[in-house]
Amino acid sequence: MWDLELDSVVAEARTAFESGKTRGFEWRKSQLEALLRLLQEKEDEMCKVLKQDLGKHRVEAYRDEVGALIKTLANALLNLKKWMSPEPVSLPLIAFPTVAEVVSEPLGVVLVFSSWNFPLGIALEPLIGAIASGNAAVLKPSELAPATSDLLASEVPKYLDSEAIKVIQGGPQVAEQLLELKWDKIFFTGSARVGRIVMTAAAKHLTPVTLELGGKCPAIFDSLKSARDKKVAIERVAGGKWGSCLGQACIGIDYLLVEEKYAATLVELLKEVIKEFFSNSEHLARIVNKHHFQRLCDLLQNQSVADSIVHGGSVNPEKLFIEPTILLDPPLDAEIMTEEIFGPLLPIITLKKIEDSVKFIRARPKPLVIYGFTNDEKLRKRIIEDTSSGCIVFNDALIQYMCDTIPFGGVGQSGFGQYHGKFSFDNFSNRKPVARRSFILELSFRYPPWNAKKFQLIRHILHFDYFGFVLCLLGLKRQNYRFSVECW
């Protein structure tokens, strides 16, 4: 698609927005309902393309993408009218009889870049927020998940308003052309490298940007006394590492931190769960393509890294499959510990004391999520107060992504801007304060010419000293300040 064609597509979306039709409740509701019908009527096709692009089992595809989107849409439809309603704002007494509210207005025409690891979910989740907020939108699916991209390009225009909601396919060249255009918001999910390109392009037009980037998400594994707690925790670690897109998830566990004396037990327990959960490779996704497959294999080429493998390590180039692999204490300066893994390789780093995990995490870029498997309240408090991350989850993994009432987003190098549920609505809205005041009461002391009494009244007001203000206004309070004649 050439520049002129892109221009005309985006211009049509802007015309639709400028017409005002996307702002109304009925349009927003009808588009969300249409998107819900799309998911319900095309469930089989969606699960098939996710299998084709990433090897996802139907249950995984429904749990993480199709079903998760249906849940999000149900929540949006249930709360849409409330989200759109103005929010009253409390004002100080001195502002009487002023009233104020915050009105959420759509930003305009927004651009959404999706990623390949959840090519359906990460395409439509932000789109739901954009539509609920009353925007026109252009969706650019990932070219690395071509079957899903084709499905979205084919089906979205059949269900949604094709003038206001556009799907544009293509590779990096098309993305670069889109970034040259003026947008009212850009929402990007992907790597930090491309995120920098998006921000640079957005700066030309002072376009606000949301970046969902990821990073190395650590999991702190404390000593758990109960055998049942250990079993449940190990299962949740395994699910959080390998159960969602074979570790190709920005919120997936990147590495584990554990005390030296518990490391051997942890490894054995993980081996047992891997055998129980993942002995049938059909229940696991595959690596997205040859490039990323080779990137993961290269991480294991370092001899010191290869020597640290304590489980797994076998690869199948024809099927683009790498089995769940555990590494114990690989070199901290190796690429596997300096770059986001985004795959089924799980390093376990041992520490003298579990409390050292806080220092370990603080020494590295702020992660999207910190997971902590512990019942120690002091350790929990330290993790909350002494680390910075997009989110903290104790004693589970990935569950936060499914909760619409929890904001999802990063901090620092893991991204910025939050979405999901009402937070998606706010992300694509301008929260505009509106104040109304009558002409009945006038506070004339706020205007020149200045004198000592006006100064005194202003001091009382700004200190919220209403009693002193009334006394001063009635002339019943002596002035406590000296004023030079030159002030007036």
Side-chain angles (χ1 to χ4, degrees):
M1 184 177 285
W2 299 100
D3 288 345
L4 290 178
E5 293 181 76
L6 282 177
D7 282 340
S8 64
V9 169
V10 177
E12 186 177 13
R14 189 163 295 281
T15 299
F17 176 76
E18 295 297 342
S19 73
K21 70 175 180 177
T22 68
R23 293 175 175 265
F25 173 78
E26 290 303 326
W27 183 89
R28 304 185 198 196
K29 180 171 177 283
S30 68
Q31 297 306 296
L32 294 175
E33 288 173 338
L35 195 51
L36 182 58
R37 287 197 308 275
L38 169 59
L39 289 164
Q40 292 170 337
E41 294 173 8
K42 300 296 178 180
E43 177 187 327
D44 288 345
E45 290 88 336
M46 289 176 175
C47 290
K48 285 177 183 176
V49 296
L50 291 171
K51 179 71 172 179
Q52 187 176 338
D53 284 332
L54 290 153
K56 292 188 179 184
H57 191 279
R58 175 160 189 150
V59 176
E60 180 184 338
Y62 188 86
R63 180 197 65 186
D64 293 353
E65 305 209 47
V66 181
L69 288 166
I70 290 173
K71 168 196 62 67
T72 297
L73 280 161
N75 179 62
L77 285 165
L78 179 66
N79 293 289
L80 181 60
K81 187 163 286 188
K82 181 172 71 174
W83 293 349
M84 292 177 64
S85 300
E87 299 175 25
V89 176
S90 61
L91 297 173
L93 182 60
I94 192 60
F96 178 83
T98 306
V99 294
E101 60 189 11
V102 175
V103 176
S104 294
E105 64 177 4
L107 294 173
V109 182
V110 303
L111 173 62
V112 176
F113 285 108
S114 176
S115 64
W116 52 261
N117 54 335
F118 296 89
L120 191 67
I122 295 180
L124 299 185
E125 182 84 32
L127 184 63
I128 291 168
I131 291 171
S133 304
N135 298 281
V138 174
L139 170 63
K140 163 65 176 67
S142 173
E143 71 278 8
L144 299 184
T148 306
S149 179
D150 287 345
L151 180 71
L152 289 169
S154 169
E155 299 301 328
V156 167
K158 296 177 184 176
Y159 285 80
L160 274 63
D161 183 341
S162 60
E163 293 180 346
I165 309 298
K166 306 287 187 181
V167 179
I168 295 178
Q169 293 183 279
Q173 184 178 2
V174 170
E176 289 172 8
Q177 292 172 7
L178 287 169
L179 287 172
E180 290 295 320
L181 303 176
K182 187 179 186 309
W183 305 94
D184 298 296
K185 180 70 178 272
I186 298 175
F187 189 106
F188 170 80
T189 303
S191 69
R193 179 186 65 82
V194 180
R196 292 186 180 93
I197 296 172
V198 171
M199 279 199 70
T200 301
K204 296 177 185 177
H205 300 290
L206 296 180
T207 302
V209 177
T210 292
L211 297 181
E212 301 294 346
L213 304 178
K216 294 183 75 66
C217 299
I220 301 167
F221 201 94
D222 194 9
S223 57
L224 299 169
K225 296 179 181 178
S226 163
R228 183 185 179 279
D229 286 355
K230 286 181 184 177
K231 182 178 187 302
V232 172
I234 290 292
E235 290 176 349
R236 291 175 180 177
V237 167
K241 177 60 183 180
W242 299 291
S244 196
C245 203
L246 195 61
Q248 299 168 108
C250 60
I251 56 171
I253 294 172
D254 191 274
Y255 62 93
L256 279 175
L257 297 171
V258 66
E259 287 187 2
E260 285 179 353
K261 56 187 175 182
Y262 298 120
T265 302
L266 176 61
V267 170
E268 291 307 311
L269 290 172
L270 279 169
K271 287 180 182 179
E272 291 176 12
V273 173
I274 289 172
K275 183 178 180 181
E276 179 184 355
F277 286 2
F278 308 123
S279 57
N280 184 349
S281 62
E282 290 299 314
H283 293 167
L284 286 164
R286 60 165 172 78
I287 308 304
V288 63
N289 57 29
K290 291 180 180 179
H291 168 74
H292 283 280
F293 179 85
Q294 189 58 51
R295 176 187 63 80
L296 289 164
C297 290
D298 289 345
L299 294 179
L300 302 176
Q301 291 304 307
N302 181 316
Q303 190 58 50
S304 297
V305 173
D307 290 343
S308 71
I309 295 174
V310 292
H311 178 78
S314 67
V315 301
N316 187 329
E318 292 182 3
K319 294 186 177 181
L320 296 179
F321 183 77
I322 300 175
E323 71 171 320
T325 299
I326 303 171
L327 306 94
L328 186 60
D329 282 324
L332 295 181
D333 59 353
E335 192 174 358
I336 197 168
M337 286 306 300
T338 59
E339 300 295 327
E340 184 177 13
I341 295 170
F342 225 65
L345 315 178
L346 178 63
I348 297 176
I349 305 301
T350 60
L351 307 168
K352 296 294 184 183
K353 298 183 300 179
I354 198 64
E355 290 78 11
D356 295 339
S357 59
V358 172
K359 182 179 179 181
F360 189 96
I361 292 168
R362 283 174 60 91
R364 287 156 178 79
K366 297 175 182 179
L368 182 59
V369 192
I370 296 173
Y371 297 106
F373 292 86
T374 179
N375 291 323
D376 184 336
E377 199 57 45
K378 288 184 179 179
L379 179 58
R380 288 181 184 176
K381 187 176 181 182
R382 279 206 63 197
I383 294 169
I384 294 170
E385 294 180 353
D386 296 344
T387 66
S388 180
S389 60
C391 176
I392 295 174
V393 179
F394 290 113
N395 297 335
D396 209 337
L398 310 186
I399 192 69
Q400 75 280 8
Y401 189 84
M402 303 300 288
C403 301
D404 291 319
T405 52
I406 296 178
F408 179 83
V411 60
Q413 292 187 34
S414 58
F416 47 81
Q418 297 175 322
Y419 74 122
H420 285 193
K422 174 65 159 52
F423 303 98
S424 294
F425 180 89
D426 291 339
N427 192 304
F428 290 100
S429 297
N430 173 41
R431 289 173 53 79
K432 178 170 64 179
V434 178
R436 299 181 181 88
R437 186 175 174 86
S438 76
F439 294 106
I440 295 173
L441 182 64
E442 176 59 4
L443 304 176
S444 58
F445 62 85
R446 60 182 175 158
Y447 306 121
W450 304 118
N451 57 41
K453 184 174 182 179
K454 288 184 177 181
F455 191 24
Q456 185 82 328
L457 288 168
I458 289 171
R459 280 185 178 273
H460 286 307
I461 287 301
L462 296 181
H463 293 180
F464 299 105
D465 179 11
Y466 296 121
F467 182 69
F469 170 79
V470 172
L471 292 178
C472 184
L473 189 66
L474 297 176
L476 301 177
K477 184 174 183 179
R478 294 178 60 186
Q479 297 177 13
N480 297 322
Y481 307 101
R482 294 181 180 180
F483 305 97
S484 64
V485 175
E486 290 79 7
C487 290
W488 315 115

